[in-house]
Amino acid sequence: MFRLSRAVTERVSSWTGRDVLRVEVPAQPSDPLRWLAGQALGPRTYWRGRGDAQARAGLGAALTVDAPSLGHARLAEALETLPPGARLTTTARFDAGAGAGREWAAFGAVRLSLPRIEYRSDGRVAWLAVHLVPGETAATARQALAALRPADDRPAHALPLPFMRRDDPDRADWGRMLRWAFGAFETGALDKVVLARRARFLFETGVDAFDLLERLEAATPRCYHALVAPRPDLAFLTATPERLLRLDGRTLSTEAVAGTRPRSEADADDDRLRDELLASEKDQREHGYVRRAIQGALAPLAETVAVDDAASAMTLARGRHLRTGIEATLRDGVGVLDVLRALHPTPAVGGTPTPGALDAIDRLEPFDRGLYAGPVGWIGLDEAGRPSADLAVGIRSGLVDGRSLSLYSGAGIVDGSDADAEWAEIEHKIGDFARVLGLTARADA
């Protein structure tokens, strides 16, 4: 901390004060999640990209930009002041235009946030950075650094057991929702709608979101892992397999992910489930809606769009999905916010046609999705100053709110779907969280 404080003092003397100042120095390697768990200063954020060795933890907020929609001008203005290497934590509600439930109000509709202090490490090397915005002085950085605490290196606490579970919708209402969807398919109003469930668990004591995410990371490899905690008793966390977009300069990577099967411990059964998924007309049709929508959304923004010839099986620890990789070269003048507005929400989390699917979700689902199925990740510049971003779709997610934990997951409903099978698919997805907690699969209330 002393080294960084001294570096800030030196850099401030030559800082023009017109743009954000980022000062970074090498630090002692530690687990970024445990480092973050030990801190107490303001909002806390965590991000580990899919397959990344390095994780980043953000503490406090040097800059927070809230906007009512992804198209608001102040979002682009925030990007213009960033120095190389700076990253804005980025979150957006699934439906920014819908009214937020009480439990989601503290997260905002669309939020870009630059942490006051950032710690990143891959376990072998580490860096500690501090950000100052125009009008601030070195004293602001020194005050934040002085408040840092050691990493919380204790083993994760045994998580409390719930005394109640409530499912929204319940089994009967789920059946009614799907019957409505089947009627919409028959009339041609919809081709696909993604309907979600919330399983809400209540505990005698508060839930530690950092302990939960630590266990979840170990249980769900090959996923993105993120945590956004605007206050100590409130946190959104996700272990999601699905990329929304990755940007390196003008090169964009995204993917269509839709169609699901569970895994089996027996090799022969696991192979059978994989082959069944690849051969499924229903799953391939559901997947096709997503692939075509993404390709169509990118066409006016890109010089070239390359799509995999066929969907392959994305294999995870407890499930498998159909996946099609998509690469594009963006046109000059097209920025990451343009792409984000064009892609979100894809039919993988909303449906098709999109307006009708969003209206159905708003009317049918008995809860506010909040950040569930919305973009989560970061937008910024790489060390060379080129546009850079990594955003996931916040599925397989949970909301810690004091003594409650709400888990969210959904399923794509198309003509030919089965209500019982779709309920079981979501229960399997929620089970990734439930097994970490040692919860039973049945609803107690």
Side-chain angles (χ1 to χ4, degrees):
M1 289 183 290
F2 174 76
R3 183 177 182 180
L4 181 54
S5 181
R6 183 175 62 185
V8 169
T9 301
E10 294 173 353
R11 290 282 303 279
V12 164
S13 63
S14 60
W15 180 36
T16 65
R18 290 192 295 267
D19 295 324
V20 170
L21 176 67
R22 174 182 173 87
V23 184
E24 185 176 54
V25 299
Q28 183 69 29
S30 184
D31 179 348
L33 185 59
R34 298 319 313 172
W35 178 88
L36 192 63
Q39 309 306 319
L41 173 66
R44 290 176 283 181
T45 60
Y46 175 83
W47 172 263
R48 188 189 297 273
R50 188 175 67 191
D52 289 353
Q54 184 183 102
R56 291 181 180 241
L59 180 63
L63 173 68
T64 299
V65 179
D66 281 312
S69 70
L70 288 168
H72 202 280
R74 70 170 68 113
L75 300 176
E77 292 169 359
L79 294 175
E80 294 173 357
T81 66
L82 294 183
R87 297 179 173 185
L88 294 165
T89 298
T90 303
T91 58
R93 289 171 50 81
F94 169 75
D95 186 351
R102 177 206 60 80
E103 69 274 26
W104 291 106
F107 293 91
V110 180
R111 178 170 293 170
L112 304 184
S113 179
L114 182 69
R116 173 68 69 194
I117 297 172
E118 180 187 271
Y119 177 78
R120 59 190 179 98
S121 177
D122 62 3
R124 297 176 293 106
V125 293
W127 296 264
L128 189 67
V130 65
H131 298 108
L132 293 176
V133 299
E136 295 183 324
T137 67
T140 303
R142 287 194 290 267
Q143 182 180 9
L145 292 170
L148 290 181
R149 299 177 179 180
D152 183 357
D153 289 329
R154 59 166 177 76
H157 286 122
L159 295 166
L161 292 177
F163 65 84
M164 189 182 79
R165 170 177 171 172
R166 173 173 174 168
D167 285 281
D168 297 307
D170 61 18
R171 195 67 173 264
D173 284 340
W174 176 255
R176 283 190 285 271
M177 288 166 60
L178 264 67
R179 285 194 292 275
W180 182 94
F182 296 149
F185 300 151
E186 287 182 4
T187 64
L190 289 176
D191 294 317
K192 174 184 176 179
V193 62
V194 179
L195 296 176
R197 289 171 42 203
R198 177 183 67 179
R200 187 166 183 258
F201 299 88
L202 295 180
F203 302 82
E204 296 288 354
T205 59
V207 178
D208 188 312
F210 298 93
D211 284 352
L212 176 57
L213 186 59
E214 182 178 2
R215 294 171 182 265
L216 195 60
E217 272 198 294
T220 56
R222 299 187 293 280
C223 287
Y224 296 91
H225 296 99
L227 180 144
V228 179
R231 62 175 195 251
D233 64 338
L234 183 68
F236 171 77
L237 62 158
T238 182
T240 172
E242 186 172 345
R243 169 176 290 167
L244 181 57
L245 67 89
R246 184 179 182 92
L247 182 66
D248 296 291
R250 294 171 57 207
T251 301
L252 179 82
S253 301
T254 184
E255 60 193 15
V257 177
T260 303
R261 286 293 187 282
R263 298 287 308 278
S264 173
E265 293 183 1
D267 290 344
D269 288 341
D270 197 45
D271 290 344
R272 176 184 56 78
L273 289 167
R274 178 200 60 210
D275 294 343
E276 181 182 288
L277 174 63
L278 291 170
S280 168
E281 186 277 333
K282 177 259 184 187
D283 288 284
Q284 290 283 358
R285 177 159 39 90
E286 177 190 346
H287 183 84
Y289 292 133
V290 182
R291 182 182 64 249
R292 289 189 294 273
I294 294 174
Q295 188 173 5
L298 291 178
L301 304 177
E303 292 180 354
T304 61
V305 179
V307 182
D308 288 350
D309 292 336
S312 60
M314 173 192 279
T315 300
L316 305 170
R318 292 181 172 86
R320 188 176 275 117
H321 306 285
L322 291 176
R323 176 191 180 274
T324 298
I326 302 171
E327 302 281 335
T329 301
L330 298 182
R331 299 182 186 276
D332 285 336
V334 174
V336 64
L337 292 173
D338 299 314
V339 179
L340 183 54
R341 287 193 298 271
L343 291 183
H344 176 71
T346 74
V349 291
T352 187
T354 298
L358 296 183
D359 180 66
I361 289 167
D362 184 55
R363 291 189 293 108
L364 292 174
E365 291 181 356
F367 57 88
D368 174 19
R369 286 194 178 190
L371 298 189
Y372 162 68
V376 58
W378 59 266
I379 295 172
L381 301 177
D382 65 16
E383 282 67 21
R386 301 182 311 157
S388 185
D390 199 6
L391 291 159
V393 183
I395 56 175
R396 315 289 174 80
S397 58
L399 178 70
V400 172
D401 186 2
R403 295 188 299 112
S404 76
L405 170 65
S406 296
L407 305 182
Y408 303 83
S409 195
I413 310 302
V414 296
D415 186 26
S417 294
D418 176 80
D420 291 338
E422 301 296 348
W423 177 278
E425 176 184 319
I426 295 178
E427 192 64 32
H428 176 79
K429 295 172 182 176
I430 289 175
D432 282 350
F433 285 85
R435 276 184 286 274
V436 171
L437 286 169
L439 305 177
T440 61
R442 66 181 180 85
D444 296 314

